[in-house]
């Protein structure tokens, strides 16, 4: 018998033995193996980002100066080309191949009203809505033409009455944005004063004196007029923004003994006074004049003067620093839960307006409200939230989801992000706990992106990598954590949208990712912190068009991690 015959005989004997010993347990084992293989094939997903993009998230310059680290930039703004400085605005008649203007705040509102244009210069017609949310049942949609009329009326009134420096002391509202754009169109200096009705008269008076404000637009009842006029005699005008339920009261009377002529009117009175000459067309823009600055107070009390170029560069960085597929679009509903007097939420809101997303505004942004309450009545897809709100949401949710079974579900979801690099999918087990997760908006599950930031010098609510990972699971949305500083319009750096990694738990803060496209950073030697051939550490310095003065030391120390993300020391 040949070798082939022996092989076939042995094969036949082996098959016969296997089949002869087949039983119910063998069948179950085979089914389990086939099911496991099919499950892995059907549910496998490619990582959201290539691992190499997370391994080197910033680009370092080839050379460095003595006592400094290399200069680090975003991969979207590599060395050798200018940092992102503007919106690339094309005027009618411009070649589609030519580079557009950087733009200013007037271009933001123009685009918000008329929509973006395509490469051929034609309007797309995609215009977002502007909404005011009043509680859980009443949502008011504002007409863009009427807001443009209000911009004209408020700007004309302030200008005609000798105003030039306008302090905006309002919660998040349409009136806030209207006043800001009125200042841009009518050559007025906008001053953003942190809205806090509980702050002392001395604190508020110091803000007005330091900024030399001559006009105040304030929420009625939040501004102590009679006491303030005695402490700040330079005040010329006061415009009350009155809520619907208080319009029947007389808010125009100047208290006796205040001294000095002060023009006091309500917002509605200003609109009625000039209604006959009102137009819904945007004022003509003079591109040759120097634009007035936007002043803002930080929580520390520091007054920072931002040029419109700084703000526009900050807006541009938010339009280009995340992957194209995840950018803000007309399909989004954007909700700022943080105060618009803070530059990071303001820059993001202006970016949403320029992207023709719908923007919802409510007054719950003041303080640290519950995230569920702040989003009631609408279904936002993108929110910008303070770290304090997120940390409170995390603590409340962890307290509810403390069972052993959920901890197993949470482990698998975390593993999906860390090991596979993808956001976890809802499963039959995770759905058991949906009722205990935060309810965001009227359509839970629609939220897709959360922005938050840590302010330099403010350590009230540091977010660790573990907390951010938990929040992605609890909210079902990707989270971007940014580092912000007074001298920078918008973020200095921010985490990658697809960076789901979790540290070892030893870091107080999560890392802050790579610089945005309008900023580059370097680390200068500071004390014992020095840059060597193996590591970069020192005081953080930011440069670029979004930085006031072009360059600013942030006053804090940090290091560049091995993956070229910024960490604080």
């Amino acid at each position: 018998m040949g070798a082939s015959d022996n092989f076939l005989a042995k094969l036949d004997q082996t098959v016969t033995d296997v089949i002869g010993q087949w039983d119910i347990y063998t069948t179950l084992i085979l089914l389990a193996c086939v099911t496991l293989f099919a499950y892995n094939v059907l549910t496998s997903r490619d990582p959201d980002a290539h691992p190499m993009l997370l391994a080197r998230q910033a680009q370092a310059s080839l050379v460095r100066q003595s006592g400094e680290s290399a200069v680090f930039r975003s991969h979207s703004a590599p060395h050798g080309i200018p940092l992102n400085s503007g919106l690339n605005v094309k005027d009618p008649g411009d070649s589609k191949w030519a580079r557009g203007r950087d733009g200013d705040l007037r271009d933001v509102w123009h685009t918000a009203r008329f929509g973006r244009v395509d490469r051929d210069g034609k309007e797309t017609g995609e215009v977002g809505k502007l909404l005011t949310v009043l509680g859980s049942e009443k949502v008011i949609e504002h007409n863009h033409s009427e807001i443009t009329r209000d911009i004209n009326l408020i700007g004309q009134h302030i200008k005609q009455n000798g105003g030039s420096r306008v302090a905006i002391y309002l919660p998040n509202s349409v009136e806030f944005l209207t006043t800001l754009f009125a200042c841009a169109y009518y050559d007025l200096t906008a001053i953003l004063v942190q809205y806090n009705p509980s702050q002392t008269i001395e604190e508020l008076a110091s803000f007005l004196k330091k900024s030399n404000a001559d006009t105040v637009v304030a929420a009625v009842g939040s501004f102590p007029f009679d006491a303030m006029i005695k402490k700040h005699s330079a005040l010329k005008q006061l415009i009350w923004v009155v809520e619907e339920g208080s319009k029947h009261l007389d808010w125009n009377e100047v208290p006796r003994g205040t001294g000095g002529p002060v023009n006091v009117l309500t917002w509605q009175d200003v609109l009625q006074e000039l209604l006959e000459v009102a137009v819904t067309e945007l004022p003509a823009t003079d591109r040759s004049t120097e634009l007035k600055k936007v002043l803002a107070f930080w929580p520390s009390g520091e007054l920072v003067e931002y040029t419109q170029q700084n703000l526009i560069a900050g807006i541009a960085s938010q339009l280009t620093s995340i992957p194209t597929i995840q950018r803000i679009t007309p399909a989004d509903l954007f909700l700022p839960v943080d105060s618009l007097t803070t530059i990071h939420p303001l820059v993001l809101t202006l970016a949403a307006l320029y992207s023709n997303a719908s923007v919802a505004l409510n007054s719950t942004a003041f303080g640290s409200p519950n995230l569920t309450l702040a989003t009631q009545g609408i279904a936002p897809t993108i929110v910008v939230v303070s770290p304090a709100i997120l940390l409170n949401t995390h603590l409340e949710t962890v307290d509810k989801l403390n069972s052993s079974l959920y901890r197993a579900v949470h482990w698998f979801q975390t593993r999906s992000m860390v090991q596979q690099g993808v956001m976890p999918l809802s499963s039959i087990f995770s759905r058991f706990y949906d009722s205990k997760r935060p309810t965001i908006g009227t359509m839970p599950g629609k939220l897709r992106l959360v922005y938050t930031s840590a302010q330099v010098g403010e350590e009230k609510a540091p977010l660790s990598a573990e907390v951010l990972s938990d929040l992605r699971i609890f909210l079902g949305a990707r989270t971007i954590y940014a580092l912000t500083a007074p001298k920078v319009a918008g973020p200095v750096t921010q985490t990658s949208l697809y960076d789901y990694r979790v540290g070892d738990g030893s870091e107080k803060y999560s890392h802050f990712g790579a610089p945005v496209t309008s900023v580059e950073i370097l680390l200068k030697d500071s004390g014992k912190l020095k840059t060597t051939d193996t590591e970069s550490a020192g005081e953080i310095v930011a440069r670029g068009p979004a930085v006031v003065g072009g360059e600013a030391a942030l006053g804090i120390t940090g290091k560049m991690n091995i993956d070229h993300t910024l960490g604080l020391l």
Side-chain angles (χ1 to χ4, degrees):
M1 184 179 291
S4 61
D5 294 334
N6 288 333
F7 173 75
L8 292 175
K10 291 180 180 180
L11 180 61
D12 179 70
Q13 183 63 38
T14 301
V15 172
T16 301
D17 291 341
V18 171
I19 295 177
Q21 298 177 26
W22 195 279
D23 56 15
I24 184 63
Y25 299 106
T26 310
T27 302
L28 293 176
I29 292 172
L30 178 62
L31 287 175
C33 292
V34 172
T35 301
L36 182 61
F37 175 78
Y39 175 81
N40 287 330
V41 171
L42 294 175
T43 60
S44 63
R45 292 185 289 163
D46 292 331
D48 290 338
H50 194 284
M52 288 302 295
L53 294 177
L54 301 180
R56 282 291 184 273
Q57 296 191 31
Q59 185 183 86
S61 60
L62 296 179
V63 297
R64 64 182 180 89
Q65 302 296 323
S66 177
E68 300 178 355
S69 71
V71 178
F72 295 91
R73 281 192 176 194
S74 167
H75 286 296
S76 299
H79 294 279
I81 66 172
L83 290 167
N84 194 354
S85 62
L87 303 174
N88 193 29
V89 179
K90 300 290 185 64
D91 293 320
D94 289 350
S95 170
K96 63 180 179 181
W97 310 111
R99 186 181 185 278
R101 295 183 291 105
D102 286 343
D104 54 58
L105 292 181
R106 296 171 296 184
D107 294 298
V108 174
W109 178 249
H110 183 277
T111 302
R113 180 185 177 185
F114 296 106
R116 302 290 294 274
V117 296
D118 57 23
R119 293 190 62 183
D120 296 325
K122 297 180 180 179
E123 295 180 356
T124 61
E126 295 179 316
V127 178
K129 299 177 181 179
L130 194 53
L131 310 172
T132 294
V133 183
L134 302 174
S136 59
E137 297 181 355
K138 188 173 182 180
V139 178
I140 302 173
E141 181 177 346
H142 300 274
N143 184 281
H144 286 76
S145 296
E146 293 179 357
I147 296 176
T148 302
R149 178 203 64 192
D150 295 349
I151 289 173
N152 288 324
L153 295 179
I154 294 297
Q156 290 172 11
H157 173 80
I158 296 175
K159 195 78 172 179
Q160 291 171 2
N161 286 274
S164 61
R165 301 175 69 86
V166 184
I168 305 175
Y169 189 62
L170 295 170
N172 291 1
S173 59
V174 172
E175 290 82 6
F176 183 104
L177 293 177
T178 299
T179 307
L180 179 64
F181 288 121
C183 291
Y185 275 104
Y186 285 89
D187 196 32
L188 304 170
T189 299
I191 304 167
L192 310 182
V193 181
Q194 292 286 336
Y195 182 74
N196 184 357
S198 63
Q199 67 186 344
T200 65
I201 296 175
E202 287 73 19
E203 289 175 331
L204 186 55
S206 68
F207 292 152
L208 298 183
K209 288 181 179 179
K210 188 180 295 185
S211 61
N212 196 25
D214 55 39
T215 302
V216 175
V217 180
V220 68
S222 66
F223 186 80
F225 174 76
D226 51 345
M228 194 59 58
I229 192 62
K230 296 177 181 179
K231 293 182 177 293
H232 184 59
S233 58
L235 187 64
K236 298 178 181 178
Q237 302 179 69
L238 174 62
I239 300 177
W240 292 121
V241 177
V242 185
E243 295 180 354
E244 190 69 30
S246 303
K247 290 182 179 179
H248 64 284
L249 300 176
D250 183 12
W251 297 100
N252 300 341
E253 182 180 355
V254 179
R256 293 182 180 180
T258 56
V262 179
N263 186 11
V264 181
L265 287 174
T266 66
W267 185 274
Q268 289 74 19
D269 288 337
V270 173
L271 301 186
Q272 289 296 326
E273 184 181 79
L274 300 174
L275 191 59
E276 294 181 359
V277 296
V279 293
T280 58
E281 299 299 324
L282 294 172
T285 55
D286 184 359
R287 304 293 179 188
S288 63
T289 60
E290 183 178 355
L291 298 173
K292 292 297 180 65
K293 297 179 179 180
V294 175
L295 281 58
F297 287 95
W298 278 68
S300 62
E302 180 181 359
L303 177 62
V304 185
E305 299 185 7
Y306 299 94
T307 65
Q308 291 203 28
Q309 180 61 53
N310 295 145
L311 294 175
I312 291 300
I315 295 170
S317 72
Q318 291 306 296
L319 300 176
T320 57
S321 292
I322 63 175
T324 304
I325 195 174
Q326 296 291 344
R327 292 176 185 172
I328 305 174
T329 70
D332 285 310
L333 175 57
F334 180 90
L335 174 68
V337 180
D338 205 353
S339 174
L340 292 181
T341 54
T342 307
I343 291 299
H344 182 238
L346 177 62
V347 164
L348 284 167
T349 303
L350 294 175
L353 287 172
Y354 189 76
S355 301
N356 294 119
S358 295
V359 175
L361 300 169
N362 59 32
S363 59
T364 60
F366 168 69
S368 296
N370 181 282
L371 185 57
T372 298
L373 295 178
T375 57
Q376 62 182 348
I378 54 172
T381 60
I382 303 175
V383 296
V384 52
V385 194
S386 69
I389 298 176
L390 288 181
L391 193 59
N392 182 59
T393 301
H394 178 264
L395 293 174
E396 290 180 351
T397 309
V398 168
D399 188 56
K400 295 177 183 178
L401 300 172
N402 56 5
S403 67
S404 299
L405 179 57
Y406 177 76
R407 283 195 288 269
V409 173
H410 191 80
W411 183 86
F412 278 105
Q413 291 183 313
T414 303
R415 182 179 180 275
S416 176
M417 292 192 295
V418 175
Q419 298 294 330
Q420 301 176 23
V422 295
M423 287 290 290
L425 296 174
S426 179
S427 66
I428 188 174
F429 298 105
S430 65
R431 291 193 187 100
F432 285 130
Y433 300 94
D434 284 348
S435 61
K436 296 184 178 182
R437 302 178 195 273
T439 303
I440 307 301
T442 56
M443 297 177 62
K446 193 174 182 181
L447 183 69
R448 70 176 184 88
L449 186 56
V450 176
Y451 285 94
T452 189
S453 64
Q455 298 178 357
V456 169
E458 295 288 317
E459 298 187 358
K460 296 180 180 178
L463 299 177
S464 65
E466 293 76 15
V467 170
L468 289 174
S469 178
D470 290 346
L471 287 169
R472 293 184 184 102
I473 295 173
F474 296 157
L475 302 178
R478 295 179 173 87
T479 303
I480 293 178
Y481 191 29
L483 178 68
T484 59
K487 295 292 186 180
V488 182
V492 180
T493 65
Q494 64 184 27
T495 56
S496 170
L497 191 69
Y498 299 135
D499 191 351
Y500 312 131
R501 297 172 300 166
V502 177
D504 58 7
S506 61
E507 298 289 341
K508 181 179 180 180
Y509 287 93
S510 167
H511 70 79
F512 289 99
V516 294
T517 58
S518 60
V519 176
E520 63 183 18
I521 64 170
L522 57 91
L523 305 173
K524 287 189 175 181
D525 293 350
S526 176
K528 296 181 179 180
L529 298 176
K530 298 183 183 299
T531 294
T532 65
D533 292 337
T534 58
E535 64 177 13
S536 299
E539 184 181 16
I540 304 171
V541 177
R543 297 193 305 214
V547 182
V548 175
E551 179 175 335
L554 304 190
I556 57 172
T557 57
K559 64 177 181 178
M560 292 304 292
N561 300 316
I562 192 172
D563 57 359
H564 286 185
T565 58
L566 179 65
L568 298 186
L569 293 175

